[in-house]
Amino acid sequence: MLLTGASFGIGRALALRLGQAGAKLLLAARSAQALETLAGEIKAAGGEARVLPLDLADPAAIDALAARLATDGVVADVVIHNAGKSIRRLITDSLDRAHDFSRTIAVNYLGPVRLQLALLPAMLTKRGGQIVAVSSLGVRLPPAPRWAAYSASKSAFDVWMASARPELAAYGIACTSIYLGLVHTRMSEPTERYRGMPGLTADEAARVICRALVCRPRRIEPWWIRPLRVLAPWCEGTVDRLFRRSLRRELAGRTAQDRRG
């Protein structure tokens, strides 16, 4: 079982749970030292874990990891795409930051796709397994301001998963998409307004993913998402006006602050 983004937050909590359950884990993330510490905890508790430092924005690193597993005869029959990069920024604040978009889509879409394509041949030969995408509720809701980079990249991988699902089902490979709301981790911590909002802990999110591994559903999302998606087209104008009103107030506040400064 290969888990990306394993070093912190949801990935770390999930790795500890899976290790306790007896899973043979391949832990992938950029933070090699944090992975070594995590693997040590898993092994101390009687589990199995192997550390695989990986930057999903580096195609050569992805190819090298896949080649290494193939050489060692290791088949990752379950792949959990948990790693992600979040950016909450207005487009007007990104005019000289094109890397906001290129880096985000590399980590959230292009990297996971390249990794999965490299791992699929062994899964197809084995004719079984599961691909799990840890996604965001934002993918299932009307697009919101500030989330252009993040939501576009997450939506891209969501469409890839939806397209792959019927193709891979013929080989016994299940595809599961999990749409999580706010999870209080170090990724959400910098946004002050999120700190007091209700949300899941990393361990609660890990439990949701564990349920997906056992039940292998097509998707996991809150019950209210489906009726909301039916109503959304009828409310598009209202939602758009609310977004614009909120942004006008914010920009007016910025202008006033700049004048005082």
Side-chain angles (χ1 to χ4, degrees):
M1 181 181 296
L2 190 149
L3 169 64
T4 67
S7 53
F8 298 103
I10 298 172
R12 177 180 170 81
L14 179 60
L16 290 172
R17 281 186 165 272
L18 294 174
Q20 292 172 356
K24 297 179 180 179
L25 294 170
L26 302 170
L27 306 175
R30 289 184 298 162
S31 309
Q33 185 174 354
L35 287 181
E36 292 288 357
T37 300
L38 174 60
E41 293 179 37
I42 292 171
K43 292 174 183 176
E48 295 184 45
R50 178 176 175 179
V51 169
L52 299 170
L54 175 66
D55 182 353
L56 283 169
D58 183 352
I62 295 173
D63 294 344
L65 181 148
R68 181 179 170 189
L69 293 180
T71 299
D72 295 344
V74 177
V75 177
D77 55 351
V78 176
V79 183
I80 305 171
H81 296 281
N82 167 70
K85 180 175 178 61
S86 177
I87 290 182
R88 182 180 180 272
R89 183 172 292 131
L90 292 172
I91 292 175
T92 51
D93 291 336
S94 296
L95 300 181
D96 59 347
R97 298 175 59 92
H99 61 276
D100 284 351
F101 297 89
S102 57
R103 176 74 185 181
T104 305
I105 203 163
V107 174
N108 294 349
Y109 174 56
L110 297 176
V113 168
R114 190 181 188 99
L115 176 62
Q116 192 58 65
L117 291 176
L119 299 176
L120 265 176
M123 298 176 73
L124 295 172
T125 299
K126 189 174 180 178
R127 300 189 72 83
Q130 185 178 13
I131 302 170
V132 178
V134 181
S135 192
S136 165
L137 270 183
V139 171
R140 305 285 284 167
L141 297 173
R146 299 181 183 84
W147 294 106
Y150 180 75
S151 293
S153 62
K154 281 291 189 181
S155 295
F157 193 54
D158 190 58
V159 172
W160 189 91
M161 285 284 290
S163 182
R165 185 177 295 114
E167 294 184 33
L168 299 180
Y171 297 88
I173 300 171
C175 292
T176 300
S177 296
I178 303 173
Y179 304 97
L180 296 176
L182 175 62
V183 182
H184 292 289
T185 65
R186 71 173 197 160
M187 190 165 73
S188 65
E189 180 62 24
T191 305
E192 186 175 352
R193 68 172 59 188
Y194 289 166
R195 296 172 191 169
M197 291 177 62
L200 300 177
T201 65
D203 192 59
E204 288 171 336
R207 288 205 299 267
V208 174
I209 300 170
C210 286
R211 176 158 58 91
L213 293 172
V214 173
C215 300
R216 292 162 59 99
R218 289 193 302 167
R219 66 173 64 94
I220 291 181
E221 62 188 6
W223 66 268
W224 46 266
I225 284 292
R226 291 188 182 183
L228 185 62
R229 283 173 61 85
V230 172
L231 293 172
W234 301 94
C235 304
E236 185 176 359
T238 301
V239 172
D240 188 60
R241 285 191 292 272
L242 290 174
F243 283 152
R244 283 186 287 171
R245 188 178 304 168
S246 175
L247 286 172
R248 279 197 297 268
R249 286 198 299 265
E250 178 182 337
L251 295 176
R254 282 192 186 186
T255 302
Q257 186 175 2
D258 291 342
R259 288 172 178 170
R260 289 195 298 269

